[in-house]
Amino acid sequence: MKPGKGLMKRDFISLKDFSSGEISNLLSLAKQLKSNPRHGCDFLKGKSVALIFQKPSNRTRVSFETGIFQLGGNAIYLAPDDISLGKREPTADIAKTLSRYVDGIVARVFSHHDLLDLAKYATVPVINALSNLSHPCQVLADILTVQEKFGKLKGIKFAYIGDGNNMTNSLLMAGAKTGMAISVATPKGYEPDRGYVKAAEDAAKTTGAKIVLTHDPREAVKGAQVIYTDTWVSMGQEDEKTQRLKDFEGYQIDEKLASIADKNYIFMHCLPAHRGQEVTADVIDGPHSVIFDEAENRLHAQKAVMIYLHTFKHQ
Ligand code: CP
Ligand code: NVA
């Protein structure tokens, strides 16, 4: 994905860095790629992309490797112990070294700072494959899914219930940039990142999006067209599990809570899911659930991101 001569490189670190128009273009490109899997099939011909993973992954790893293959490129998976990001050598040296070999870097990290460092020192585009702060690739696939199901994003009431984590931060940004009415219900002490809330509120001023933060799941879910939840224990928080399961009592998505949503609501979850914790099996495996459409859309959305970063021309 090395940008052409004279072009400024662009990274995909946060949806904050992309305008509403750019997000809309990414969604259109993803749709085009989905309807014609051969589209862009030579795009990464002769190019390699490094996939740095500090954490486990099913969807992200497999959809990136498959997407890169479908675009004619070569994916190099680097497991947590392979390059030992931040331990074996400075992140700057890793970024500069990889830039001499590959045309793009996809990274799943613990600390968002590592991602910023990779982007700062790499001369090739860097894509955020999840950090403690955000998960924009997942959310691009999610809003593609919402658009497919309802034919629009603007005005959709989107309820997120649970932990104010990396998913929540990115969903807030996406909702704000696309004019959704996004309601987030978390227990006290588990609210989303303040910086993301502020950025989302600023974006909402121009798009007409509505942002509501509450501690009441019923307030968030009432009349919602989308109900979204995520794990209560994110990767890296395993030692907080007992406390978290206690603190999140009352935030489970079950049939009773879902019954106050719009009658045509869709249930979404980025996965991996924990039936009996954040969601009951009858909801996640029921007729409103679109979880595998979301998972599929990772592939199309990420192919769109790779093409977009490569062809971006600095204005
Ligand atoms: N949703 C998601 O990112 O899944 P993985 O952790 O399996 O990649
Ligand atoms: N919040 C979760 C998302 C997994 C895709 C985590 O960070 O583990």
Side-chain angles (χ1 to χ4, degrees), residues 55 108 130 135 165-167 230-231 233-235 270-272:
K55 302 176 183 180
R108 166 167 287 194
L130 180 146
H135 197 3
N165 59 15
N166 43 9
M167 282 305 309
D230 182 20
T231 181
V233 187
S234 283
M235 291 179 276
C270 57
L271 305 178

Side-chain angles (χ1 to χ4, degrees), residues 28-39 148 296 300:
S28 302
L29 181 54
K31 255 168 121 173
Q32 221 179 316
L33 289 157
K34 185 169 183 174
S35 63
N36 178 8
R38 297 283 302 154
H39 185 73
E148 285 173 350
E296 177 190 333
H300 313 300

Side-chain angles (χ1 to χ4, degrees), residues 182-199:
I182 178 155
S183 294
V184 172
T186 65
K188 286 201 174 101
Y190 291 97
E191 293 84 2
D193 177 79
R194 277 164 193 260
Y196 268 83
V197 173
K198 168 83 174 60

Side-chain angles (χ1 to χ4, degrees), residues 283-310:
V283 171
I284 195 168
D285 300 318
H288 295 272
S289 178
V290 297
I291 55 172
F292 299 113
D293 295 323
E294 290 177 81
E296 177 190 333
N297 281 339
R298 295 292 303 275
L299 174 67
H300 313 300
Q302 288 158 191
K303 282 169 74 180
V305 169
M306 290 188 279
I307 291 176
Y308 191 79
L309 296 184
H310 180 73

Side-chain angles (χ1 to χ4, degrees), residues 232-272:
W232 293 337
V233 187
S234 283
M235 291 179 276
Q237 298 173 333
E238 291 76 8
D239 54 357
E240 299 170 26
K241 185 172 175 183
T242 312
Q243 185 61 47
R244 283 177 163 265
L245 293 192
K246 247 189 245 159
D247 294 346
F248 283 93
E249 263 171 36
Y251 286 80
Q252 183 185 66
I253 311 294
D254 59 13
E255 289 281 18
K256 185 165 176 243
L257 182 59
S259 72
I260 63 167
D262 185 276
K263 68 175 181 4
N264 295 318
Y265 85 92
I266 57 172
F267 171 80
M268 302 183 79
H269 192 309
C270 57
L271 305 178

